Amino acid sequence: MIKVTDVAYARFRAPDLDKMEAFLKDFGLERSARTVNRLYMRACGPDHHVHITELGEPAFLGMAFHAASEEDLHTLSQSAAASDVEESDEPGGGKRVRLTDPSGFLVEAVYGMEELPEIPVRNAFGINTGDDAPRKGKFVRLDPGPAQCLRLGHVVIGVKDFDESNAFYKGHFGFLDSDVCFEGDKDNIMLSFNRVDRGDEYVDHHTLLTAPTGTPELGHIAFEVQDVNAIHVGHEHLVSKGYDHSWGIGRHILGAQIFDYWFDPFGHRIEHWTDGDLLNADSPTGVHPYGARFSTQWGVTEESRR
């Protein structure tokens, strides 16, 4: 087992790279590289890319996680499920180990990818609250346009067998349970919000969520944006472009993110989020009945969108 530090990128397939690139630009990503058969998109952060689209029939192929060191890649490669350590032949370079999870998704651990200069963030204002007002003498005047994505934050997948998948991801990548849901007996865990283990350092509430759908499928991928202003500005921009909205705007209960979900042109759900909970290795695991209403504190609920 190694302890990955974060999600690196998600990998898709689509029949029209121009159409996918246009949507992702409107969603708040920028192109970092493109070949005849592949499109690489970046966020504002330094990662060379956070989204890959390969030419072909629409599909979610899998995801990659950042390893803490090249030594960790060699450790992971000793697993019977893993490839040898390889030099990446894709833009951004670096090294990787490839695995296939129990549902058939490609999972990569990567290290040493090229970093790019960060992209300045527009509309970055402090937010005044009732007891804390950092924004003094500065007016909020928001420029319209895409909500710039800061980074890829998490991936949600439906899996064939929850126990098998849960053991695979925790056993290879060192994930911790932030919140779990049970059915019947409390030991019968059916769903897990997984965070990375960086010791005392606080990290996102979840980097990976696995749910027992019985059929392998993508739930969504999620990109962090600057704040609630970016959520709304991005929402209005995507509405003006005529894209297919999925769910939101609202605030989750587990994880607490303010969210807004959309569909890309090929039916994959993709989320803007901000202001999520942060936990460290000492944070306790929340335990909840499976099927309980835990998705929305305010905004559009799961029930109302059906």
Side-chain angles (χ1 to χ4, degrees):
M1 184 186 74
I2 66 171
K3 294 182 179 181
V4 295
T5 62
D6 207 348
V7 62
Y9 53 80
R11 189 182 294 270
F12 293 85
R13 198 163 51 219
D16 188 330
L17 298 185
D18 289 337
K19 194 171 185 179
M20 181 65 96
E21 181 173 358
F23 168 80
L24 292 173
K25 284 184 175 179
D26 283 327
F27 196 78
L29 299 177
E30 297 290 339
R31 184 206 289 190
S32 58
R34 182 163 169 175
T35 67
V36 173
N37 297 315
R38 288 178 182 167
L39 169 68
Y40 299 83
M41 302 292 287
R42 63 166 298 189
C44 291
D47 286 347
H48 182 274
H49 54 268
V50 294
H51 190 292
I52 302 173
T53 308
E54 302 179 1
L55 195 61
E57 290 302 307
F60 168 70
L61 301 178
M63 73 212 87
F65 300 106
H66 286 294
S69 66
E70 185 175 337
E71 181 181 357
D72 276 0
L73 292 185
H74 287 280
T75 298
L76 183 62
S77 73
Q78 296 174 31
S79 167
S83 72
D84 293 335
V85 178
E86 307 168 340
E87 294 281 351
S88 175
D89 60 355
E90 299 188 274
K95 296 185 178 182
R96 68 186 178 193
V97 172
R98 294 185 290 175
L99 306 89
T100 301
D101 84 354
S103 293
F105 295 123
L106 172 65
V107 186
E108 301 166 85
V110 298
Y111 181 77
M113 287 176 56
E114 177 187 356
E115 292 191 344
L116 302 176
E118 296 191 24
I119 297 173
V121 179
R122 297 179 291 106
N123 295 334
F125 299 92
I127 294 181
N128 291 338
T129 62
D131 59 358
D132 184 23
R135 182 174 57 80
K136 297 178 173 68
K138 187 175 183 181
F139 302 104
V140 174
R141 301 293 185 266
L142 302 171
D143 295 324
Q148 292 171 287
C149 296
L150 305 181
R151 52 185 279 268
L152 178 62
H154 61 262
V155 177
V156 174
I157 54 174
V159 299
K160 289 193 300 185
D161 184 294
F162 173 78
D163 289 338
E164 192 176 9
S165 294
N166 195 41
F168 172 87
Y169 283 101
K170 288 185 170 63
H172 284 95
F173 305 113
F175 285 110
L176 302 175
D177 287 321
S178 295
D179 283 289
V180 298
C181 298
F182 66 90
E183 187 170 59
D185 191 296
K186 284 191 175 183
D187 292 329
N188 185 31
I189 302 301
M190 299 291 293
L191 182 149
S192 175
F193 292 80
N194 300 280
R195 70 183 182 276
V196 299
D197 181 0
R198 301 209 307 235
D200 292 338
E201 183 178 350
Y202 281 86
V203 301
D204 291 337
H205 173 268
H206 58 281
T207 298
L208 174 72
L209 188 153
T210 55
T213 56
T215 301
E217 62 185 22
L218 175 70
H220 65 270
I221 62 171
F223 291 93
E224 184 177 16
V225 299
Q226 180 71 14
D227 55 25
V228 69
N229 287 319
I231 293 280
H232 282 275
V233 169
H235 181 97
E236 292 185 2
H237 179 74
L238 291 165
V239 167
S240 74
K241 295 290 184 174
Y243 293 115
D244 189 6
H245 188 239
S246 171
W247 177 28
I249 297 170
R251 184 186 279 277
H252 286 308
I253 295 177
L254 302 185
Q257 300 90 344
I258 298 175
F259 63 84
D260 191 29
Y261 293 88
W262 292 81
F263 289 105
D264 75 17
F266 307 99
H268 307 115
R269 187 178 284 109
I270 181 170
E271 177 191 8
H272 285 143
W273 66 269
T274 191
D275 193 25
D277 291 336
L278 299 175
L279 310 178
N280 68 12
D282 294 328
S283 300
T285 300
V287 181
H288 316 272
Y290 185 65
R293 183 186 175 277
F294 58 73
S295 63
T296 311
Q297 299 191 67
W298 55 256
V300 178
T301 66
E302 281 193 295
E303 292 80 5
S304 66
R305 72 189 176 108
R306 291 182 180 136

